[in-house]
Amino acid sequence: MSTVNDTNFNSAVFLLTGIPGLEDVYLWISILFCLIYAILIAGNSVILFITKIDPSLHEPMYIFLSMLAITDLGISIATLPTILSIFLFNSREISLNACFAQLFFIHLLQLIESSVLLLMAFDRFVAICNPLRYASILTLPIIAKMGLVCVLRGVAIIVPLPLLLKRYQYCRANVLSHSYCLHQEVMKAVCSDITVNSIYGLSASLLTLGLDSLLIFLSYVMIFKTVLSVASKVESLRALETCISHLCIVLLFYIPEISLSVIHRFGKGSSHLLQIVLGYTNLLVPPLMNPIVYSMKSKHLRARIIRLFIK
């Protein structure tokens, strides 16, 4: 196994990992990844394009969906170069600076996506629990400020991660478990004590992803309570239908994200293949499925997409 033995910071490299044991079929795997990236980039781009050109979609729900699409495109762009370079060209090396930049953008965009999912839950909460004030609460200026707060919160929390890692020398095994850089992986190669990094990383996850998921859960408790108090079953089902797509997206995002975080920190004896599968699921499945789920569940959006391609 390659190691970086007390090398200078700028000359050290990490070695990324594809899927061990499947090197003979990397070409076919690269075709699959190219197809996945093409679909998710096209799907999210179509969502952005239609939302922009159709004034009837300039509503809070679709604006939040556009924010989600932008975030998903960003995650795809951040991971695409290293994943495809491994499976297409077997190029595994990545410099420390490039690795730090990649992990910064991956964690930042995932945190922003978590924030956007929370805003979408708040949108459904206001629409169902306080419909008369919906238009006055979620105005365009307020939505813009919410989006800005999501970005600033993400930057403020994630910036310390690469800065803390940059202080160290790297002398342990420099082979990472994934085809991209993650903070949990990189800090294992540090020569000295990483208690500060470990505590900060765990605290940041709990105060962002943990808090966001808890608030989303509480918002849906209130939504279900309101829906169940409605006398008409038809109206109850209609209200729940508007939440199904968002609930699917929330589950697609948080289940692999939390599972991967727990395995990296506490699952020392876990299967390497399981980590790899969860890693790809975490980064590729939500951006791939988000536009598909919303297109299927939103009749207005689906009709607009069909009209676009028919023309």
Side-chain angles (χ1 to χ4, degrees), residues 18-19 33 75 79 83 106 110 177-180 182 184 251-265 267 270-287:
I19 304 178
F33 277 118
I75 292 176
T79 58
I83 291 178
I106 288 176
Q110 286 183 324
S177 301
H178 301 286
S179 305
Y180 45 85
L182 294 176
Q184 305 97 300
L251 294 175
L252 285 172
F253 177 79
Y254 282 106
I255 290 177
E257 174 70 27
I258 294 174
S259 301
L260 187 63
S261 180
V262 170
I263 286 176
H264 271 300
R265 286 186 169 85
S270 63
S271 167
H272 186 202
L273 181 60
L274 176 61
Q275 292 185 26
I276 292 173
V277 171
L278 279 175
Y280 288 128
T281 302
N282 178 38
L283 286 181
L284 297 179
V285 172

Side-chain angles (χ1 to χ4, degrees), residues 123-151:
D123 169 75
R124 292 298 84 202
F125 169 77
V126 176
I128 294 173
C129 299
N130 200 352
L132 297 179
R133 297 188 58 198
Y134 180 78
S136 62
I137 293 175
L138 290 173
T139 62
L140 290 179
I142 291 177
I143 292 173
K145 292 176 182 177
M146 287 178 171
L148 180 61
V149 169
C150 290
V151 174

Side-chain angles (χ1 to χ4, degrees), residues 128 223-236 239:
I128 294 173
I223 287 172
F224 290 141
K225 183 178 179 181
T226 301
V227 168
L228 292 175
S229 65
V230 176
S232 172
K233 291 184 177 180
V234 175
E235 291 181 3
S236 299

Side-chain angles (χ1 to χ4, degrees), residues 101-311:
Q102 186 180 51
L103 73 85
F104 168 77
F105 284 109
I106 288 176
H107 290 298
L108 171 64
L109 291 165
Q110 286 183 324
L111 200 157
I112 292 174
E113 180 155 353
S114 176
S115 302
V116 173
L117 291 175
L118 177 59
L119 294 182
M120 296 173 81
F122 178 69
D123 169 75
R124 292 298 84 202
F125 169 77
V126 176
I128 294 173
C129 299
N130 200 352
L132 297 179
R133 297 188 58 198
Y134 180 78
S136 62
I137 293 175
L138 290 173
T139 62
L140 290 179
I142 291 177
I143 292 173
K145 292 176 182 177
M146 287 178 171
L148 180 61
V149 169
C150 290
V151 174
L152 293 178
R153 184 185 78 150
V155 171
I157 292 173
I158 301 301
V159 161
L161 295 182
L163 294 181
L164 287 171
L165 290 172
K166 207 167 184 179
R167 302 181 306 144
Y168 298 115
Q169 290 287 327
Y170 295 83
C171 60
R172 297 177 184 170
N174 67 330
V175 180
L176 304 182
S177 301
H178 301 286
S179 305
Y180 45 85
C181 295
L182 294 176
H183 175 257
Q184 305 97 300
E185 282 275 299
V186 174
M187 69 179 181
K188 293 176 184 178
V190 173
C191 306
S192 52
D193 183 46
I194 57 170
T195 302
V196 174
N197 291 63
S198 183
I199 292 175
Y200 182 81
L202 181 60
S203 300
S205 296
L206 291 175
L207 293 175
T208 53
L209 299 177
L211 181 60
D212 290 350
S213 58
L214 177 61
L215 292 175
I216 290 172
F217 173 75
L218 292 176
S219 68
Y220 272 100
V221 169
M222 298 299 295
I223 287 172
F224 290 141
K225 183 178 179 181
T226 301
V227 168
L228 292 175
S229 65
V230 176
S232 172
K233 291 184 177 180
V234 175
E235 291 181 3
S236 299
L237 292 174
R238 189 178 301 165
L240 287 176
E241 282 180 0
T242 65
C243 302
I244 290 176
S245 53
H246 181 250
L247 278 173
C248 291
I249 290 173
V250 167
L251 294 175
L252 285 172
F253 177 79
Y254 282 106
I255 290 177
E257 174 70 27
I258 294 174
S259 301
L260 187 63
S261 180
V262 170
I263 286 176
H264 271 300
R265 286 186 169 85
F266 308 110
K268 294 182 179 180
S270 63
S271 167
H272 186 202
L273 181 60
L274 176 61
Q275 292 185 26
I276 292 173
V277 171
L278 279 175
Y280 288 128
T281 302
N282 178 38
L283 286 181
L284 297 179
V285 172
L288 178 67
M289 295 304 297
N290 289 350
I292 296 174
V293 170
Y294 259 97
S295 298
M296 291 176 60
K297 291 299 180 181
S298 173
K299 295 179 180 179
H300 192 178
L301 184 60
R302 184 171 67 247
R304 192 64 184 85
I305 293 173
I306 293 172
R307 282 166 49 196
L308 174 68
F309 284 102
I310 289 177
K311 285 184 178 181

